[in-house]
Amino acid sequence: MTAAARTTAVWAALSAITVVSWFLAPAHHAEPVTASTAVTIAVLVLALIKTRLIIQEFMEVRTAPTWLKLATDGWLAVLFGAIVVIYVW
């Protein structure tokens, strides 16, 4: 896969995830808006995926040394884990 094709595929995936996240939001439905832990966790997981794609592809960590790949993945895991724990708690 060429670099241009890879960038286009990642962009398409990011756009699709954005649309799915919007669809999960209850604000455009007719019923009253209530907090939903399942929807919140789903949107956070989608945000995690988007963040990882951006870091790996557009910040070029995909071709970086292994320690940097592990550091960014670890940072994402800790950050999103903390957000989920704070939200659920």
Side-chain angles (χ1 to χ4, degrees), residues 41-85:
I41 299 298
V43 170
L44 284 173
V45 167
L46 291 172
L48 172 67
I49 293 167
K50 284 179 70 171
T51 306
R52 188 167 190 280
L53 282 172
I54 291 168
I55 290 171
Q56 293 289 314
E57 298 300 325
F58 297 108
M59 297 175 76
E60 299 184 8
V61 173
R62 184 175 49 85
T63 59
T66 303
W67 68 267
L68 185 57
K69 293 177 189 179
L70 293 174
T72 56
D73 286 346
W75 175 75
L76 284 174
V78 169
L79 177 66
F80 281 90
I83 291 171
V84 169
V85 167

